[in-house]
Amino acid sequence: MNIKLAKEYIKNSINLYLKKDEFGEYRVPIVRQRPIFLLGAPGIGKTAIMEQIAQELGIALVSYSMTHHTRQSALGLPFITQKTYGGKEYSVSEYTMSEIIASIYDTMEASGIREGILFLDEINCVSETLAPSMLQFLQYKVFGRHRVPDGWVIVTAGNPPEYNKSVREFDVVTLDRLKILEIEPDYRIWKEYASDKRLHGAVVNYLDIKKDHFYCMEMTTKGRSYVTARGWEDLSQILYLYEEEQMPVDESLVGQYLRNEKVVKEFTAYYDLYNKYKKDYRIEEILEGRPSVQAIARAKEAAFDERLSLLGMLLDRVQADMKDIVEQGAYLSDLRAPLKAVKAQADGTRVEQVISLLDKQAEGRRKLLESLQMAGSLSDGDRKKHRLVIRFLEEGRKELYVSDITEGTAAFDFLKDRYDRQVTHMKRDTERTGNELHALFAFVEEAFAEGNEMLILVTELTVNSFSSQFIATFGSEDYQRHNKELMLSERSQDIQAQIAELDI
């Protein structure tokens, strides 16, 4: 199965494991809550989906790689204690709490979240001394003498033996206590993730053309050659930074992330071509609604690979702007609550009280951010939103402190004016981005009238979470019109195919 389907299975399992009856008992007894075992090649996103699941379910996440754990660190250290049996005192071996179990309690204390996921990676690479204890752990959630707290679901992951020499085969007794999900790389699913994460356009466009280069493992005369999804994502991040610093990208850099000579050479060549396309077509002019005659003429005559790259560049820019607006909207909406709290107490007070209220609001938001970070259930979008709210409150406090304002009502009016200016700025950006989207549709209509590019454009706008949210919120007549036309066309083709099958 692909990683997206595995994610849904895991979410469903966790929801069922955490379901309780009328007496507050878990419907699935602890002994029947089979740990989930994700078995798949390295770098396909097993760890990433665990973070996403915790964020979406609002539960905590504690992650450990089992490769560095010894029997002592996993089970706890032995110590001697005295116990009395039948009137006689005996020396008995006990164990300190496992580092792993202690981390769960630390997370619960710091975050206040009582349910979560214990994610153990590389579970099939445990040391020889620890291996015998894993059966007890997987069945009873016990490390040494200490049990995983109720409400914590165990998810494990590992690589097949062909990818890792340290892998030890689980016997049937162990496997029979696991829910096993075998994961295969799937570029189509990964592309949805890459689009939402806004990975570098050169990476996504290259893989649209060379899908077989998305994930590969092979043995060569020089050793193992590999390319993974993790490698592409890490390369994407470094490409953005290299471009910011205007540093040259060459095969040596690409080869640090993609360990396949052919893919390295072809991607580096494509990256240079990608930047040439961006310069030749003048992307900014196209999205401003004034494409050159030369750009339109060249696009009409271009090969499909070049058309796909051009469309990808245009989409990348528009979707980045849509993402900024959606995130700005989420931040401004979230900011209303602390501002309402300040307004409710501002009347009849002095500016000092308003400043104190801002301090309390900012401190409360910082504690919320810290607790979510400790729980491992904080998405990138929420992290950015909380930080923007904190920054607004802190900057408002500083500006009020050095201002001539003395009354609480005037202080709130000052804060509201700052808020209204940001809303106005967002409205301008929204209008500009809407115009960019219209210009994009107009260009595709003119340059690619007879091709499949319009279908690709509408599909990409639909599957990307930020562009679909932008269009749902602010509308797009171009999108609605073309989406309807494509749906009618698809329905017509289905009817024609059905008629053909009837052989009338």
Side-chain angles (χ1 to χ4, degrees):
M1 69 176 66
N2 61 54
I3 198 74
K4 185 176 182 179
L5 184 57
K7 176 183 171 181
E8 290 306 309
Y9 271 115
I10 296 169
K11 284 181 66 175
N12 291 338
S13 295
I14 292 172
N15 279 324
L16 293 176
Y17 284 173
L18 298 181
K19 192 172 184 179
K20 297 179 180 178
D21 62 20
E22 58 184 312
F23 303 108
E25 301 290 337
Y26 289 105
R27 295 281 298 276
V28 181
I30 300 298
V31 72
R32 298 295 176 215
Q33 290 186 10
R34 288 193 175 199
I36 299 161
F37 181 36
L38 296 175
L39 183 63
I44 61 175
K46 298 188 291 292
T47 304
I49 64 165
M50 299 317 305
E51 296 171 353
Q52 295 168 20
I53 290 169
Q55 292 158 13
E56 292 169 15
L57 295 181
I59 59 179
L61 173 68
V62 172
S63 298
Y64 266 92
S65 173
M66 297 304 294
T67 52
H68 73 281
H69 274 289
T70 63
R71 187 174 187 276
Q72 287 75 24
S73 63
L75 301 183
L77 295 172
F79 65 92
I80 304 299
T81 187
Q82 302 298 317
K83 290 191 176 183
T84 301
Y85 301 112
K88 293 185 178 181
E89 191 173 84
Y90 297 89
S91 296
V92 179
S93 295
E94 289 281 1
Y95 284 88
T96 59
M97 181 176 284
S98 159
E99 174 190 334
I100 297 173
I101 304 295
S103 292
I104 297 176
Y105 283 104
D106 287 341
T107 298
M108 290 195 295
E109 290 295 321
S111 68
I113 300 175
R114 315 307 296 178
E115 296 180 327
I117 303 167
L118 173 59
F119 178 59
L120 302 179
D121 202 3
E122 309 293 350
I123 191 73
N124 53 353
C125 293
V126 295
S127 65
E128 186 174 350
T129 57
L130 181 56
S133 302
M134 292 310 299
L135 178 60
Q136 179 190 29
F137 170 72
L138 293 173
Q139 184 171 11
Y140 298 107
K141 295 187 177 182
V142 173
F143 265 140
R145 296 289 299 272
H146 302 277
R147 192 161 62 88
V148 174
D150 290 348
W152 282 73
V153 177
I154 298 171
V155 181
T156 66
N159 305 137
E162 59 266 30
Y163 297 115
N164 192 330
K165 294 180 180 179
S166 302
V167 165
R168 62 177 64 251
E169 295 278 2
F170 283 155
D171 54 33
V172 174
V173 176
T174 303
L175 291 174
D176 194 39
R177 286 163 170 80
L178 300 170
K179 285 168 63 80
I180 302 173
L181 303 180
E182 296 188 22
I183 316 300
E184 297 291 338
D186 187 324
Y187 173 66
R188 180 180 59 86
I189 298 302
W190 182 83
K191 186 179 176 182
E192 294 179 18
Y193 166 82
S195 181
D196 285 344
K197 283 283 187 178
R198 207 190 153 229
L199 298 195
H200 199 286
V203 168
V204 177
N205 290 348
Y206 174 78
L207 292 174
D208 277 339
I209 299 168
K210 299 278 189 178
K211 293 181 177 63
D212 57 322
H213 288 181
F214 167 57
Y215 200 102
C216 54
M217 292 270 179
E218 58 187 22
M219 288 299 298
T220 69
T221 55
K222 297 181 180 180
R224 188 176 292 279
S225 170
Y226 58 89
V227 176
T228 69
R230 181 190 296 121
W232 286 114
E233 184 169 0
D234 292 346
L235 175 61
S236 169
Q237 182 64 47
I238 207 68
L239 288 177
Y240 278 127
L241 296 175
Y242 262 62
E243 289 169 358
E244 285 181 16
E245 299 297 325
Q246 297 183 339
M247 298 165 65
V249 173
D250 55 20
E251 290 184 10
S252 177
L253 173 69
V254 176
Q256 296 168 30
Y257 298 89
L258 312 177
R259 304 298 296 164
N260 180 293
E261 288 187 7
K262 178 183 178 183
V263 176
V264 168
K265 288 182 180 296
E266 292 192 17
F267 174 76
T268 307
Y270 176 80
Y271 177 78
D272 293 336
L273 188 61
Y274 176 88
N275 287 319
K276 184 177 184 300
Y277 287 156
K278 188 178 290 188
K279 182 179 178 181
D280 290 350
Y281 278 102
R282 300 179 182 178
I283 300 300
E284 296 290 337
E285 292 181 2
I286 293 175
L287 294 178
E288 288 172 1
R290 48 187 187 88
S292 67
V293 174
Q294 294 86 348
I296 294 173
R298 177 173 174 175
K300 286 181 177 180
E301 300 300 323
F304 182 69
D305 286 359
E306 183 173 332
R307 289 181 168 206
L308 202 60
S309 296
L310 173 58
L311 182 59
M313 283 183 264
L314 294 166
L315 260 170
D316 184 54
R317 165 61 188 278
V318 174
Q319 288 180 328
D321 290 342
M322 289 176 169
K323 180 176 185 289
D324 289 343
I325 289 166
V326 169
E327 290 179 340
Q328 184 75 358
Y331 145 65
L332 290 172
S333 178
D334 200 41
L335 184 57
R336 291 174 188 163
L339 289 180
K340 285 181 179 178
V342 172
K343 181 183 180 181
Q345 301 182 51
D347 290 344
T349 63
R350 304 287 294 174
V351 68
E352 290 80 11
Q353 280 73 40
V354 172
I355 290 173
S356 177
L357 285 170
L358 291 173
D359 281 337
K360 291 178 181 178
Q361 291 288 339
E363 181 61 24
R365 187 59 64 114
R366 273 192 293 270
K367 288 181 178 178
L368 173 62
L369 182 59
E370 288 170 5
S371 69
L372 291 173
Q373 287 176 328
M374 281 297 300
S377 58
L378 185 67
S379 67
D380 292 341
D382 284 342
R383 180 183 292 106
K384 182 176 181 179
K385 178 181 67 178
H386 290 311
R387 285 177 175 170
L388 286 172
V389 170
I390 293 169
R391 186 172 72 181
F392 180 96
L393 297 172
E394 290 178 339
E395 289 178 351
R397 176 199 178 282
K398 291 177 183 177
E399 291 181 23
L400 283 173
Y401 189 78
V402 299
S403 73
D404 296 329
I405 297 172
T406 59
E407 299 298 326
T409 302
F412 173 76
D413 290 341
F414 171 81
L415 294 172
K416 185 176 184 304
D417 182 64
R418 290 186 76 243
Y419 176 84
D420 289 341
R421 288 200 304 271
Q422 292 193 14
V423 171
T424 300
H425 182 74
M426 176 188 158
K427 287 180 178 178
R428 285 200 300 266
D429 286 346
T430 301
E431 183 178 0
R432 175 181 54 78
T433 303
N435 291 335
E436 286 179 349
L437 183 59
H438 175 69
L440 173 55
F441 271 102
F443 179 80
V444 172
E445 286 173 356
E446 186 170 3
F448 307 133
E450 302 302 323
N452 292 321
E453 288 75 15
M454 184 61 73
L455 174 60
I456 295 172
L457 171 59
V458 171
T459 302
E460 294 293 333
L461 290 171
T462 302
V463 300
N464 179 272
S465 63
F466 293 105
S467 56
S468 60
Q469 189 173 343
F470 178 93
I471 292 170
T473 304
F474 304 107
S476 168
E477 292 183 5
D478 298 297
Y479 172 85
Q480 299 298 343
R481 173 165 52 86
H482 284 287
N483 189 39
K484 185 176 180 180
E485 289 173 357
L486 290 169
M487 289 175 66
L488 289 173
S489 175
E490 184 178 339
R491 179 59 181 155
S492 176
Q493 291 172 4
D494 288 343
I495 293 172
Q496 290 175 10
Q498 292 173 18
I499 292 173
E501 289 178 4
L502 293 173
D503 194 26
I504 300 176

